[in-house]
């Protein structure tokens, strides 16, 4: 029952050091490895949110809740992102 929280903690534990170490790498290839780790970790954090929503949503509303979640994060990203 606590799998989304464990996924979130594990992905965050990988994301923070990888994102911090990435600009400190001595060459571009090593930096690219840390960019890939950071990107995969961000995907894990995002997936944990969807899993948690699906755990609490009633079966007949799951599709609408996921659509609303993705719409919310997309609009927020467009509003806060660079113009």
């Amino acid at each position: 029952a606590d799998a989304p929280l464990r996924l979130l903690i594990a992905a965050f534990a990988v994301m923070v050091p990888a994102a911090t170490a990435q600009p400190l790498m001595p060459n571009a290839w090593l930096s690219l490895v840390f960019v890939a780790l950071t990107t995969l970790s961000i995907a894990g954090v995002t997936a944990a949110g969807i899993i948690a929503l699906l755990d609490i949503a009633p079966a007949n509303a799951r599709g609408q809740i996921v659509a609303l979640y993705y719409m919310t994060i997309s609009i927020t990203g467009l509003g806060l992102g660079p113009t």
Side-chain angles (χ1 to χ4, degrees):
D2 62 345
L5 181 61
R6 288 181 187 215
L7 174 64
L8 178 67
I9 291 170
F12 198 73
V14 172
M15 180 181 64
V16 171
T20 304
Q22 184 264 327
L24 304 173
M25 291 297 108
N27 62 35
W29 289 109
L30 207 51
S31 181
L32 189 62
V33 168
F34 281 92
V35 167
L37 279 173
T38 303
T39 304
L40 290 173
S41 300
I42 290 170
V45 170
T46 304
I50 290 293
I51 293 168
L53 277 176
L54 291 177
D55 279 346
I56 63 172
N60 60 348
R62 288 183 179 166
Q64 291 175 340
I65 289 174
V66 170
L68 183 63
Y69 174 77
Y70 278 127
M71 184 183 72
T72 303
I73 62 171
S74 295
I75 290 174
T76 303
L78 286 172
L80 297 177
T83 56

